[in-house]
Amino acid sequence: MPSRTDYATLAFAYFAVGVTVSVAMLDAGASIPKTLTAAFVVYSATPQLAFLAVQAAGGSVVIGVLSGWLVASRFGILASSLGARYEASDTERAAAAINSFDPNVALAMQQEKTSDVRRVFWLVTASLMAGWWIGTVVGIMLGNILDNSDALGLDAVFPAILLAIIGSSLRRRDGLTAAVAGAAICAVLIPFSPGGVPILASALGAVLALFVATSDSPTPDSPTSGEPEGAGS
Amino acid sequence: MSWAVIIALSIGVAAQRLIGMFLAGPLLARRPALARLADLLPAAVVAGVIVQLTVADAGRLVVDARAAGLAVAGVLVWRRAPLAVVVIAAAVVTATVRAL
């Protein structure tokens, strides 16, 4: 069972993510209604940050959306591992799928009893959402006040959050290989390709890792490996 | 970010979550290579996004204060620091280097 400290730490982590995504959206010129709506319907930080990164690089809308979808493949994997242990009606399973984030799936999967899987999942979800929504609103207020968020170093916060999100993958040799290869492909292509294309091409890093790092990884159905620090969103 | 983009991203994210919950388990169980690829894809693409956000200025590679912030964040993630610490350290280091 997660402790009270776990719940508080996760709520604070999601508060930080909520703040930064809101500030990033407003910085990129989105209106307040759009920023709020996106937080509610996209319901995940990484696809928004990926789209904004492509946009900032001068990439097309299509490439931006494709990049957003690619990074969101993480949520399909999270929902898939949760689905294997989440026993309930189809409606409730759908609700759980929509609410899949890294920490709530990781902590739910650590429970031995099936009934605890559901209970812990929703308790963690509640604390994530408390942090996320307060953070989103605070970020909107902050984004309106700040003239130059770069002076506060906020532009480095987005990649730092992304790094923390893939932190548990980086501890595995194949995950690290995929990330390093993806980063290298992107960096090499940036000076030569149209905006956003390098981000799409970084997906090839996963293909490369598949061939390079063979047979030394844990089972592919446990991507989150149950680390409560996993703070992705 | 236009409304169309918000809708497209929403559909893409929700669809992948629902497919994961209802379909991916049996599908990926029969295709282990595909399962591993799906498992590795997020780390590769997110790393690409990190590069774009950290060492690029539109279509040019640049090393500036952001790289310093990310380097510190990398060490903290490796040492399993809480996300809030990672976030604050990245911002403070970047702002400090930039102000120098």
Side-chain angles (χ1 to χ4, degrees):
Chain A
M1 286 285 150
S3 68
R4 276 189 194 173
T5 320
D6 289 339
Y7 287 119
T9 309
L10 289 171
F12 192 72
Y14 270 54
F15 170 83
V17 177
V19 170
T20 50
V21 175
S22 286
V23 172
M25 287 286 286
L26 293 172
D27 263 2
S31 63
I32 291 175
K34 265 186 190 166
T35 304
L36 270 177
T37 310
F40 188 69
V41 299
V42 180
Y43 207 48
S44 49
T46 27
Q48 291 185 59
L49 291 177
F51 180 85
L52 293 177
V54 171
Q55 198 183 41
S60 72
V61 169
V62 172
I63 292 176
V65 170
L66 283 176
S67 306
W69 286 350
L70 269 181
V71 294
S73 60
R74 195 173 96 256
F75 294 110
I77 298 160
L78 287 169
S80 155
S81 40
L82 181 68
R85 300 234 12 237
Y86 197 98
E87 291 171 18
S89 66
D90 278 355
T91 318
E92 190 185 325
R93 278 164 59 86
I98 295 294
N99 282 283
S100 298
F101 292 94
D102 306 66
N104 54 6
V105 172
L107 288 167
M109 300 299 284
Q110 282 174 16
Q111 307 310 313
E112 295 192 357
K113 282 196 292 181
T114 311
S115 56
D116 287 343
V117 170
R118 286 168 72 190
R119 211 164 71 88
V120 168
F121 177 81
W122 288 111
L123 282 173
V124 177
T125 305
S127 64
L128 296 180
M129 286 306 112
W132 165 267
W133 287 114
I134 296 170
T136 300
V137 172
V138 169
I140 286 175
M141 296 191 293
L142 205 64
N144 262 344
I145 301 167
L146 296 177
D147 281 338
N148 181 9
S149 61
D150 285 3
L152 293 177
L154 286 186
D155 51 344
V157 166
F158 318 135
I161 285 175
L162 294 174
L163 191 62
I165 285 172
I166 59 170
S168 58
S169 294
L170 299 180
R171 292 177 196 288
R172 290 169 23 199
R173 193 189 295 180
D174 57 348
L176 185 65
T177 308
V180 170
I185 292 169
C186 185
V188 167
L189 289 179
I190 280 172
F192 309 107
S193 339
V197 171
I199 291 177
L200 282 185
S202 60
L204 294 174
V207 181
L208 205 70
L210 204 58
F211 290 107
V212 175
T214 44
S215 72
D216 62 346
S217 68
T219 48
D221 60 348
S222 57
T224 53
S225 68
E227 287 184 44
E229 56 149 4
S233 130
Chain B
M1 192 180 287
S2 67
W3 287 110
V5 167
I6 292 174
I7 293 167
L9 286 178
S10 311
I11 292 172
V13 175
Q16 292 190 75
R17 279 174 162 151
L18 292 171
I19 289 169
M21 172 65 78
F22 292 100
L23 301 173
L27 193 79
L28 294 180
R30 276 181 277 123
R31 294 175 181 78
L34 190 64
R36 278 198 68 205
L37 186 64
D39 190 24
L40 294 171
L41 197 55
V45 184
V46 169
V49 175
I50 291 172
V51 165
Q52 181 74 55
L53 288 173
T54 312
V55 293
D57 179 9
R60 286 185 314 126
L61 288 176
V62 286
V63 176
D64 57 21
R66 293 170 298 171
L70 191 78
V72 171
V75 172
L76 289 170
V77 167
W78 174 52
R79 301 303 306 260
R80 298 176 191 267
L83 180 68
V85 175
V86 176
V87 163
I88 292 166
V92 169
V93 168
T94 304
T96 309
V97 172
R98 191 166 281 153
L100 290 178

